[in-house]
Amino acid sequence: MSTDGCAQVFLAEAIKKAGITHLFGVPAAFTKALNLADDSGVCVISAHSEAAAACMADGYARAARAIGLCYAQNVGGAGLASGLRDAFLVGSPVIALTGGGDGATAYKFAYQDSDDMRMFDAVTKLNISVRRVERFPDLLRLAARTATSGAPGPVHVEVEGAAGQLLDQHLPAEFWDLSAIADHSAPCHRTPGEADAVSRAVDLVAGAQRPILIAGGGARVSDAGPALLEFARAFGAPIVTSMNAKGIIDERDPLACGVVGSYSRDSANRAVLDADVVIFAGSRAGGHVTNRWSLPAPSAKIIQIDIDAQVMGRNFPTAVSIVGDVKTVLHQMLCAYKESGRPPRPAHADWLRVAAAYAEASRRKIETSGRTHRTPIRPEQLCTELNASLSDDCLLVADTGHAGWWTASLMDLKPSQSYLRAAGTLGWSLPAAIGAQCAFPARKVVCFIGDGGFFYYLSELETAVRYELPVVFVVNNNSGFAQEDALFHGGSGRPQEDPGRRFLEFAATDISGLARSFGCAGYCVERPQDLREILQEALHCGRPAVVEVLTDRSAVPAAAVGWPAPNGRQRPS
């Protein structure tokens, strides 16, 4: 490794040392570093927008559980910031590098120049700027540590100069330290819980009659699936998951009750409401996973396990709070229970039978709805056929809105598969799936998205074609923003009048033909009996493919009967 050169060389070496295989951005910034990285085998993906590049880096980071890197020149900073919103909401270890202002031209109306730093405050865990070249190495190390330690999250590093020209300067040899950059996977530190808190939590769970585990995104980052199952079997506790932890255990396991919260299965919500002790394992207990804070029941005792102390008791008063890595803490609790000399734990057969009955009833309803064979096609049947078509190592990326709701509630996944979902940014899943495919070139990556979300980043189909990334995009085409229909109808039941209908309904568009014009394989499915054959053909065609499925616009996910309206009842504090 050369230690006699400019900081651009240092950046290229750092990228290689960290094991990052793909970079995502829009030319032109940090050009020398990117060229050097490309020469060393790192693939530099040139996207069609900075926002899409950030989504790609996010998909890469979530899939690999490691740093995703995106970049832009100063004028693209605002787009990059908008693309980081989902990474921030979920807690994804993305580092965004941008060019920044030049002190020599500040306040002189330089071309394309504006102060972008404040845009990143709301969507990053850390927002820093580099104004002296010798500070770049230590600040880059700080960015990597911050992105991957504790609760992961995105970091922004602004480098002086519209295209980061500060890094063209010579970097003295004494600053060439790459030792702290290598292998920044998440979590980079597994913090144990405090022993007394672990002991109190074990006492509480051991005395429970109806314990339940709610696994959140922190459990997925921690790779805590096997630990969750071991814990659940030892204590007789069913498992429900947030969307971020979907598939962390086999969703056909007898202990699995499905996804809980707003985009959920009825079985999961019912089981949580019945529980007397609820263990939030790597979940912030936010509005989505608790169905707007309407569950657990007010009488339930709460144990919260999370690596981020700031989330403890924020939404519900906790009986026990344990700050630590989920996988580590669950093992601590199991060891403490075994070492306590207590008699073997009762199996709670009655409680497990109740939870299993809820799960089975939900599955029966799903199986029935998945065999409708109606035209237009029902999304329930689309999800049933897609579930049957996925390989055992498939990585499914779901968009927000109905796409997230359908996949979370209707599909059963297993740990050998993966599930990534949009945390609220419509259209995110299309570029994110491209990033996930970069992280795992040999795995089949499938994006499930509605037509409304599909149009956000349509141009990135060309990116997938150009880089030969064989993502399969399944488009649930119901001709518009169907999820918002009820809002505009106002509950009156009256059909919308023109021009009001144009708010939500799109002009007829040949999406599959559009895909073919980009160089993708393009398919259109109008009959339910053709679904499985066409899905299989797309999954095995070996190139980017778009499967447009014409679905029933009136189809709405079944909300659990009797759940509270928005801002439903909250636990007393």
Side-chain angles (χ1 to χ4, degrees):
M1 178 190 72
S2 170
T3 59
D4 184 19
C6 67
Q8 294 256 21
V9 179
F10 178 88
L11 175 57
E13 293 286 352
I15 290 167
K16 183 178 178 181
K17 184 79 171 178
I20 297 170
T21 61
H22 291 73
L23 312 174
F24 308 91
V26 176
F30 312 104
T31 304
K32 183 174 182 179
L34 299 178
N35 285 336
L36 289 169
D38 187 68
D39 290 342
S40 67
V42 176
C43 182
V44 182
I45 302 287
S46 179
H48 288 282
S49 76
E50 290 83 4
C55 295
M56 290 176 191
D58 182 14
Y60 174 98
R62 291 197 217 178
R65 293 209 302 272
I67 289 172
L69 185 61
C70 54
Y71 64 92
Q73 57 182 309
N74 65 335
V75 72
L80 210 62
S82 70
L84 289 177
R85 181 183 180 91
D86 225 81
F88 179 74
L89 291 171
V90 163
S92 181
V94 175
I95 295 179
L97 289 174
T98 66
D102 186 335
T105 59
Y107 314 112
K108 296 179 71 173
F109 309 111
Y111 179 56
Q112 296 184 328
D113 187 38
S114 66
D115 181 3
D116 293 334
M117 284 295 287
R118 284 172 292 178
M119 294 183 186
F120 288 90
D121 284 340
V123 292
T124 56
K125 188 178 175 184
L126 177 69
N127 185 20
I128 54 178
S129 61
V130 185
R131 294 291 175 254
R132 294 177 62 90
V133 70
E134 63 269 21
R135 293 300 313 280
F136 182 67
D138 73 272
L139 291 176
L140 186 63
R141 289 192 292 271
L142 172 62
R145 285 195 303 272
T146 303
T148 57
S149 62
V155 173
H156 172 233
V157 181
E158 182 187 81
V159 179
E160 187 171 275
Q165 287 93 331
L166 179 74
L167 300 192
D168 293 337
Q169 296 180 19
H170 175 75
L171 183 65
E174 60 264 31
F175 297 101
W176 284 71
D177 179 11
L178 292 166
S179 60
I181 299 226
D183 190 26
H184 270 286
S185 58
C188 62
H189 301 292
R190 291 194 178 273
T191 311
E194 193 269 327
D196 180 63
V198 169
S199 178
R200 287 187 288 115
V202 168
D203 288 342
L204 186 56
V205 180
Q209 295 303 308
R210 299 179 305 281
I212 198 164
L213 278 159
I214 299 180
R220 182 189 61 82
V221 171
S222 181
D223 195 23
L228 283 165
L229 276 174
E230 185 180 1
F231 184 97
R233 288 167 181 152
F235 287 97
I239 300 172
V240 300
T241 74
S242 71
M243 289 180 71
N244 288 330
K246 181 176 174 65
I248 193 173
I249 65 167
D250 190 331
E251 294 189 289
R252 285 280 181 174
D253 189 282
L255 289 168
C257 284
V259 171
V260 70
S262 299
Y263 292 3
S264 63
R265 283 191 183 176
D266 179 69
S267 54
N269 289 359
R270 291 186 181 279
V272 171
L273 277 174
D274 282 356
D276 61 350
V277 171
V278 177
I279 305 131
F280 283 99
S283 169
R284 294 177 292 190
H288 208 263
V289 74
T290 62
N291 197 32
R292 300 184 180 95
W293 306 280
S294 65
L295 50 86
S299 59
K301 293 181 171 63
I302 305 295
I303 297 170
Q304 191 163 11
I305 305 167
D306 204 283
I307 203 165
D308 184 2
Q310 296 183 74
V311 308
M312 294 300 178
R314 182 176 293 193
N315 288 308
F316 302 98
T318 58
V320 184
S321 297
I322 307 177
V323 180
D325 169 68
V326 174
K327 182 177 179 180
T328 303
V329 170
L330 291 175
H331 282 311
Q332 284 181 282
M333 291 180 69
L334 283 164
C335 289
Y337 178 69
K338 292 172 183 175
E339 292 169 2
S340 68
R342 289 183 174 91
R345 176 70 182 153
H348 285 325
D350 289 344
W351 166 232
L352 292 177
R353 274 197 294 270
V354 168
Y358 288 158
E360 182 58 29
S362 286
R363 289 193 187 101
R364 283 200 300 269
K365 284 194 289 187
I366 290 166
E367 288 169 0
T368 300
S369 65
R371 296 193 299 264
T372 55
H373 296 290
R374 284 165 51 184
T375 303
I377 297 168
R378 291 284 302 186
E380 297 93 334
Q381 183 157 15
L382 168 56
C383 287
T384 295
E385 296 296 345
L386 180 59
N387 212 152
S389 300
L390 297 181
S391 61
D392 284 344
D393 67 343
C394 181
L395 198 159
L396 178 63
V397 184
D399 214 57
T400 191
H402 278 175
W405 204 330
W406 294 123
T407 54
S409 62
L410 299 177
M411 298 181 70
D412 281 324
L413 301 179
K414 59 190 74 170
S416 61
Q417 298 169 324
S418 300
Y419 181 81
L420 307 179
R421 64 98 177 191
T425 309
L426 194 63
W428 169 89
S429 63
L430 194 158
I434 292 173
Q437 186 74 81
C438 292
F440 290 103
R443 292 178 68 178
K444 179 52 63 182
V445 174
V446 174
C447 169
F448 189 99
I449 190 169
D451 53 321
F454 179 78
F455 286 121
Y456 270 64
Y457 293 110
L458 171 65
S459 58
E460 300 306 334
L461 293 179
E462 187 279 331
T463 306
V465 170
R466 181 165 23 110
Y467 289 94
E468 299 179 341
L469 298 166
V471 180
V472 174
F473 304 95
V474 178
V475 182
N476 178 46
N477 185 359
N478 54 19
S479 303
F481 294 121
Q483 188 166 353
E484 313 305 328
D485 279 354
L487 296 177
F488 281 80
H489 281 299
S492 67
R494 294 193 301 269
Q496 289 180 273
E497 303 292 337
D498 282 327
R501 190 165 56 228
R502 294 195 299 248
F503 272 122
L504 302 177
E505 293 186 28
F506 300 156
T509 304
D510 181 4
I511 287 177
S512 56
L514 196 58
R516 288 190 290 272
S517 74
F518 278 103
C520 299
Y523 309 86
C524 182
V525 187
E526 299 183 60
R527 304 188 309 164
Q529 59 267 38
D530 298 332
L531 264 170
R532 188 169 300 192
E533 180 181 352
I534 290 177
L535 285 169
Q536 286 292 335
E537 184 175 341
L539 287 163
H540 292 93
C541 73
R543 60 193 179 109
V546 173
V547 180
E548 175 192 11
V549 183
L550 304 183
T551 59
D552 186 349
R553 184 179 177 85
S554 67
V556 177
V561 176
W563 292 145
N567 302 316
R569 64 182 174 84
Q570 301 188 17
R571 286 175 58 90
S573 56

